Amino acid sequence: MKRLVILLVAAGGVAWWWRRRSSGTGSGESWSSTGATASETSTFEPPKLGGDVDPELLAILACPLDKQPVTRQGNYLVCGECQRHYPIRDGIPVMLIDEALTPEQAAAAPA
Ligand SMILES: [Zn+2]
């Protein structure tokens, strides 16, 4: 029982020595975060019209309205059936009826 107490005291002494040692050397260190400014580089831009579309992708794309193949005309994919113009944004064809230009809209807006 007495030996156990001695062991505990010894362990406490080592802990005290270790804490003192580590606190003494860390006085000059600065843990201030340098360069971690919260200013996010907001490089968000609206996707540009156009871009390269994978020909294999182009081959399997179809008009969502009437399932007809589309052909590329400038920055748009044009349905051969309903003549809707699906925009290509950053090389990604947007095959959405809501996003497509109707033939009337396409005629009004210069390509
Ligand atoms: Zn169509």
Side-chain angles (χ1 to χ4, degrees):
M1 196 62 192
K2 204 176 179 183
R3 283 177 69 175
L4 185 67
V5 172
I6 290 164
L7 268 169
L8 282 168
V9 169
V14 168
W16 171 82
W17 169 79
W18 184 257
R19 276 172 63 184
R20 203 181 124 166
R21 185 171 172 265
S22 55
S23 66
T25 52
S27 59
E29 290 175 53
S30 63
W31 287 92
S32 61
S33 56
T34 52
T37 49
S39 63
E40 291 174 30
T41 52
S42 58
T43 51
F44 178 77
E45 291 173 35
K48 291 189 288 276
L49 216 56
D52 291 325
V53 181
D54 193 343
E56 288 181 36
L57 178 66
L58 205 60
I60 59 168
L61 284 174
C63 174
L65 201 66
D66 42 46
K67 314 291 187 248
Q68 293 302 305
V70 291
T71 52
R72 180 159 188 174
Q73 289 183 24
N75 294 328
Y76 292 90
L77 296 179
V78 182
C79 172
E81 184 68 28
C82 66
Q83 298 296 310
R84 272 180 169 76
H85 286 52
Y86 296 95
I88 301 162
R89 290 181 185 146
D90 278 337
I92 299 161
V94 182
M95 305 304 289
L96 297 170
I97 294 164
D98 288 343
E99 297 287 319
L101 297 179
T102 60
E104 294 78 30
Q105 286 174 318

